[in-house]
Amino acid sequence: MALLGQRPPRTASAPRPAAARPTGPWPGLVLAAAGVAVAWLTHRLVPDVPMLTVAIVLGLAAAQVPGSRVWVRGWAKPGLTFAAKRLMRVGVVLLGLKLSLRDVLGVGWATVAMVLVVVAATFFGTWWLGRKLGLPGDQPLLIATGYSICGASAIGAVSDVSRSEERDTAASVAVVTLCGTLAIAVLPLLQGPLGLTDAEFGRWVGASVHDVGQVVATAQTAGGSALGEGVLIKLMRVALLAPLVAGVAIAVRARRAAAADGAAGPGERRPPLVPLFVAGFVAMVGLRSTGWLPGSALDAAGVAQELLLAAALFGLGSAVDLRTLVRTGGRVGLVGLCAWVVVGGVSYAGVCLTG
């Protein structure tokens, strides 16, 4: 008989209570904010490297390093997913403040037609090639969107309405970001051999490079006139994000209606024809076109937009599993390379015809 007050021996099978871990989005949001801070500092030290590119590279690294991978896949996951989805939407809305209808109409209808042809050829050509090569899931759609419109931001917007798998979104962002980053180094070397003036080079960059930050980093190598032309043409491509997302939403609704024989399943929500954040993007373009907003407000919105998109891209990068990506890496890389050739070639021809 055990003595009174003596503790019974601890059995080997008795588990210790697990340590409580943080829950909710805040740990992941703090991690994303730290990634944005490092990306901002890197961009300040090396201005030719866009902050958004650094942010997604940091997210990729955080998801692969053994020490941080446990956090990224565990307690930080809800916040990183929130950043990749919700903050991306707000950033896309604020992106509309960079574009004015007056600027678009000022370039002439020939240039507008050139941008439309470049976007259409790149989108449908990349989408068709991705399907022919058997890329899984929504990767053909998402890669085509990133190349034709505005890189990772467009991928995030389209994946939201198409309800794409996270692995498809992450893989598409990775290949589009990689090729867009390579453009910063490669395209300036081609200006002389292709016989482009500084203004023509800027228009070529704006029509062919994916992300706005990458356009700035590439076009500024040829001076101020190239930078101005490049950013304007790029923002015209960004304006096509709204109709593209609306088109994807309509296609998704039609596909689900056909699968359900015209009736939505119980509890299933149909995606809206025009998602709220896309309507917000269009509204911001209209607001900018009025000329009511002072320069200080536009500057503050621009800073907020870049910070929000950087946090969103850090979250998207953290969802990339390189081991899964490697299994389809050859096909993804081939689609990315071919799409790069298509968008570069078609945009070069367009610049020469409208120059």
Side-chain angles (χ1 to χ4, degrees):
M1 178 183 294
L3 297 176
L4 184 63
Q6 181 179 351
R7 292 182 179 178
R10 184 189 295 264
T11 60
S13 60
R16 292 178 178 272
R21 291 187 176 184
T23 58
W26 290 111
L29 290 176
V30 170
L31 182 59
V36 171
V38 175
W40 176 83
L41 181 59
T42 303
H43 174 64
R44 295 284 294 180
L45 295 174
V46 189
D48 287 342
V49 180
M51 186 174 78
L52 299 185
T53 300
V54 179
I56 192 169
V57 170
L58 290 173
L60 280 165
Q64 315 311 318
V65 176
S68 60
R69 184 169 56 206
V70 177
W71 304 344
V72 169
R73 305 295 184 198
W75 52 266
K77 183 69 173 177
L80 294 173
T81 301
F82 180 90
K85 293 183 177 294
R86 306 294 182 179
L87 298 187
M88 174 69 76
R89 295 177 185 177
V90 181
V92 168
V93 169
L94 293 179
L95 192 60
L97 289 175
K98 290 184 175 291
L99 185 65
S100 168
L101 293 177
R102 188 181 303 109
D103 295 334
V104 173
L105 296 177
V107 301
W109 291 109
T111 300
V112 173
M114 182 267 287
V115 171
L116 291 173
V117 170
V118 168
V119 169
T122 304
F123 178 82
F124 289 108
T126 304
W127 177 74
W128 175 84
L129 181 61
R131 288 176 61 87
K132 291 293 287 185
L133 292 179
L135 293 188
D138 286 338
Q139 287 185 25
L141 169 67
L142 298 178
I143 294 174
T145 299
Y147 271 87
S148 59
I149 304 294
C150 56
S153 303
I155 291 174
V158 169
S159 66
D160 188 69
V161 297
S162 62
R163 300 182 185 177
S164 303
E165 294 288 339
E166 188 177 54
R167 61 178 178 270
D168 291 340
T169 304
S172 303
V173 166
V175 68
V176 169
T177 301
L178 174 61
C179 289
T181 303
L182 290 176
I184 299 173
V186 174
L187 295 194
L189 301 177
L190 299 177
Q191 180 183 0
L194 293 177
L196 295 172
T197 66
D198 289 347
E200 289 173 339
F201 175 73
R203 296 174 72 193
W204 183 46
V205 170
S208 61
V209 178
H210 319 319
D211 182 76
V212 176
Q214 294 165 346
V215 168
V216 172
T218 308
Q220 70 184 357
T221 61
S225 63
L227 179 59
E229 292 284 338
V231 171
L232 178 57
I233 297 299
K234 177 64 203 175
L235 291 178
M236 291 172 62
R237 288 170 64 196
V238 172
L240 296 176
L241 176 63
L244 178 62
V245 172
V248 170
I250 293 171
V252 169
R253 289 187 66 167
R255 184 178 62 193
R256 289 180 179 169
D261 197 22
E268 182 182 355
R269 292 189 307 162
R270 282 181 158 186
L273 288 180
V274 180
L276 184 60
F277 71 93
V278 174
F281 172 87
V282 175
M284 291 301 103
V285 173
L287 180 60
R288 170 67 186 267
S289 302
T290 64
W292 295 341
L293 294 178
S296 57
L298 293 175
D299 291 341
V303 172
Q305 171 254 320
E306 193 163 13
L307 293 175
L308 288 167
L309 288 182
L313 294 181
F314 182 90
L316 281 174
S318 69
V320 175
D321 186 350
L322 288 182
R323 293 169 297 182
T324 302
L325 184 60
V326 165
R327 287 196 285 270
T328 58
R331 287 176 292 162
V332 171
L334 180 59
V335 171
L337 180 61
C338 292
W340 201 19
V341 172
V342 169
V343 69
V346 175
S347 59
Y348 174 71
V351 168
C352 291
L353 292 173
T354 58

